[in-house]
Amino acid sequence: MSDLRRVSVVDRVIRAIRDNNGEGRAKHVRVVLSGMCSLAVRLDALDANPVRDLAPAPRKRRSERRAGRKVVLTEASVAALRWHVMKSEAAHADRPAARVAGGHPATSAR
C-alpha cells in the first residue's frame, strides 16, 4: 500500500491498464481503487485519497469514436428509408397535394 499513496504511481498504473486493456477496464479499476482508498482514508490507513487527485481521463470526441463504424444498408432498409422519407411531412412541405400511394415496404407482399 505504500506505493499507492503517491498520485504518480496510481496514475502510472491506470495508464498502463488503459494502454493494455482498454478504456473501460481502466475506468473500472479507477472506480475500484477510489473506493478502496476512500475506505482506507476513513479508517485512517491513508491521509488522503490519491485517486481523487488524478487528472480526468482523456475523452475522445464523438466523431473519433464513430470514425471506425460503417453503416451497411440492405435493399430492404433502403426501401424502408425511401418510404419513410416520401411519407414525411418535410418531403412534401412545398407540394402539399402530392402523396405517395402504397404501404410500408417491410409489410408489403413480395
Side-chain angles (χ1 to χ4, degrees), residues 1 5 9 12 15 22 29 31 33-34 36-37 40-41 49 51 53 57 60 65 74 77 80 89 92-93 98-99 103:
M1 193 70 154
R5 293 178 189 200
V9 173
R12 203 171 322 132
R15 285 177 192 263
V29 169
V31 168
L33 276 177
S34 180
M36 290 170 54
C37 291
V41 169
N49 185 345
V51 181
D53 295 331
K60 291 183 179 178
R65 287 186 299 222
T74 63
S77 61
E89 293 295 323
H92 301 289
R99 292 288 180 245

Side-chain angles (χ1 to χ4, degrees), residues 13-110:
V13 168
I14 299 290
R15 285 177 192 263
I17 291 170
R18 184 182 311 121
D19 293 343
N20 295 325
N21 302 101
E23 188 66 35
R25 179 69 52 97
K27 285 181 182 180
H28 189 156
V29 169
R30 182 177 174 151
V31 168
V32 171
L33 276 177
S34 180
M36 290 170 54
C37 291
S38 291
L39 180 62
V41 169
R42 282 193 301 267
L43 298 175
D44 294 325
L46 285 177
D47 295 327
N49 185 345
V51 181
R52 282 192 187 163
D53 295 331
L54 291 177
R59 294 183 49 134
K60 291 183 179 178
R61 293 182 183 168
R62 181 175 290 179
S63 59
E64 291 174 358
R65 287 186 299 222
R66 294 182 180 179
R69 294 186 197 170
K70 294 185 180 183
V71 177
V72 178
L73 296 176
T74 63
E75 263 186 64
S77 61
V78 169
L81 177 63
R82 184 176 293 143
W83 183 84
H84 283 289
V85 168
M86 294 305 291
K87 285 290 195 178
S88 72
E89 293 295 323
H92 301 289
D94 51 328
R95 301 179 297 162
R99 292 288 180 245
V100 177
H104 189 280
T107 59
S108 300
R110 293 183 182 226

